[in-house]
Amino acid sequence: MTASILSIGTALPRTRVAQSALRDLFAAQPGFDRRSQRLVGAAFDAAAIDTRHTVLPQLAGGSADGLAALSDGELTMPPTGARNDEYRRTAPALFAEAAGAALAGSGLGRDAVTHVVTVSCTGMFAPGPDYLLVRDLDLSPSVERYHLGFIGCAAAIPALRLAARIVAADPAAVVLVAAAELCSLHWQTSSHPDQIVAASVFADGAAAAIVTAADAARPGLDLEGFATYVTDEGEKDMAWTVGDSGFQMTLTPEVPRIIGREIAAIAADVLGDLSEVDAWAVHPGGRSILDRVESALSLDAEALASSREVLRAHGNMSSATLLFILRDLLADTARADGDRVAALAFGPGLTVEAARLVLRRPAA
């Protein structure tokens, strides 16, 4: 039984901030010497991001009070517990907004949902987002729930894979997949190059998908296959750990280089004949990662246009980002019935997650 994405909904925090404003705020922090300030300017300006959304209005010049206290230009971030409390306060509404939009787009009622799969790596609490979605959307109390935590940027593909496995076992299942990430809660005002690079790309956002058995009479993205690949190196180059002052990202310059060296062989192994791919959905971990993938796979300049546009408008929203790209491909009227889509995402490990999808557009 082939599973299919019927619809995708997205949600963003109300605060949108220009990349240039974030650059200037970060570079002005105490303890940043001229070398560090030049590195901030180079990293933020090279990110190919125009704007990002955040749950912290202070980062856009809003109230000086709150989680991130801003006084005379100095940004003071609190300990991990306070950051996680803010996640617990603000994430559920984004989960619910994205999930509600996905449900509305599917044409199905809330009573149709049989399973919920939630995804996040930027906060944790129990009862968690899976429980709250059942409550906030007034779903059946008997809905089966699963939460995939701390997988990182690649987690949307394992979530869709789990949904596809559920549908294969139960063709009547309707699975709600929802991902929400509040990366800005873990901004580190550090001059360490890894933290500068992380601050230059990560943002907040949520996305959700309705997955059920493919129906020839309905449009959708059929989930044809999945694969996972762990590279021989990179375990220490992309990591996500819990520290005393928030979750701390390690993201070294080796990450795009490793991807560039290995992605051609990996993609051919997990996706098959790349010449048969009509559209690409590549997680935009950063501009340099997209550049390396484009070069290594000998893609034309337009192949990653959807990925680059999501990065430009929203930044890297970790696990939610890939669903934004798939949303745009599903809505693209220039795409034809039967178009084959290749999805790639990269997570700590260094792990490559891949999916093969087929666009279905029934004749009117």
Side-chain angles (χ1 to χ4, degrees):
M1 175 60 65
T2 300
S4 182
I5 300 173
L6 292 187
S7 61
I8 296 174
T10 59
L12 294 162
R14 302 297 177 256
T15 299
R16 184 175 67 174
V17 59
Q19 177 80 343
S20 57
L22 290 173
R23 176 200 63 205
D24 295 345
L25 174 63
F26 200 72
Q29 296 309 298
F32 280 55
D33 57 22
R34 290 185 178 179
R35 179 181 177 277
S36 297
Q37 290 173 340
R38 286 196 299 270
L39 183 55
V40 169
F44 278 68
D45 291 345
I49 296 170
D50 288 348
T51 56
R52 287 186 269 169
H53 289 77
T54 175
V55 294
L56 300 176
Q58 301 89 338
L59 298 182
S63 170
D65 300 322
L67 180 71
L70 188 61
S71 177
D72 295 326
E74 181 177 354
L75 187 66
T76 303
M77 298 295 283
T80 301
R83 298 180 196 233
N84 197 62
D85 287 344
E86 187 70 7
Y87 173 90
R88 185 173 185 175
R89 188 182 74 82
T90 54
L94 287 171
F95 270 110
E97 183 180 348
L103 262 175
S106 73
L108 298 176
R110 299 183 179 195
D111 58 345
V113 176
T114 60
H115 298 73
V116 166
V117 178
T118 53
V119 176
S120 192
C121 68
T122 49
M124 57 187 73
F125 61 92
D130 53 320
Y131 167 88
L132 292 181
L133 268 183
V134 172
R135 184 198 68 184
D136 294 344
L137 295 185
D138 194 25
L139 304 180
S140 168
S142 63
V143 164
E144 293 185 20
R145 311 191 318 270
Y146 304 88
H147 180 71
L148 303 184
F150 235 64
I151 296 177
C153 292
I157 292 181
L160 292 173
R161 182 172 61 226
L162 173 56
R165 300 286 191 263
I166 291 171
V167 170
D170 178 6
V174 175
V175 186
L176 168 60
V177 174
E181 303 290 10
L182 306 185
C183 303
S184 67
L185 294 182
H186 302 288
W187 212 10
Q188 307 290 325
T189 53
S190 165
S191 60
H192 191 284
D194 287 356
Q195 300 306 324
I196 290 174
V197 171
S200 73
V201 297
F202 284 104
D204 303 348
I210 299 295
V211 179
T212 189
D215 181 346
R218 303 188 59 160
L221 278 168
D222 292 350
L223 299 167
E224 294 285 332
F226 297 89
T228 298
Y229 192 98
V230 179
T231 63
D232 292 335
E233 51 185 325
E235 182 176 348
K236 296 180 180 179
D237 294 292
M238 186 191 295
W240 190 227
T241 57
V242 179
D244 292 335
S245 58
F247 299 172
Q248 297 175 349
M249 168 61 72
T250 299
L251 192 63
T252 77
E254 280 301 304
V255 171
R257 294 171 191 161
I258 293 169
I259 292 172
R261 285 196 301 267
E262 301 201 26
I263 194 60
I266 293 172
D269 184 40
V270 302
L271 295 172
D273 186 353
L274 302 186
S275 67
E276 296 182 352
V277 174
D278 299 303
W280 290 87
V282 178
H283 172 73
R287 179 196 56 79
S288 59
I289 287 178
L290 293 179
D291 289 347
R292 295 277 182 162
V293 170
E294 183 179 288
S295 175
L297 299 183
S298 300
L299 302 178
D300 63 54
E302 290 300 312
L304 302 184
S306 295
S307 296
R308 293 188 189 278
E309 176 56 22
V310 169
L311 179 66
R312 182 199 67 77
H314 305 301
N316 179 353
M317 300 168 286
S318 190
S319 66
T321 318
L322 188 72
L323 291 174
F324 275 71
I325 300 165
L326 292 176
R327 173 204 63 183
D328 293 347
L329 290 174
L330 184 58
D332 186 357
T333 57
R335 291 287 164 198
D337 180 55
D339 274 3
R340 291 150 296 191
V341 179
L344 292 170
F346 315 101
L350 188 68
T351 302
V352 179
E353 294 284 355
R356 298 189 307 274
L357 306 93
V358 176
L359 183 62
R360 185 167 25 79
R361 294 201 189 282

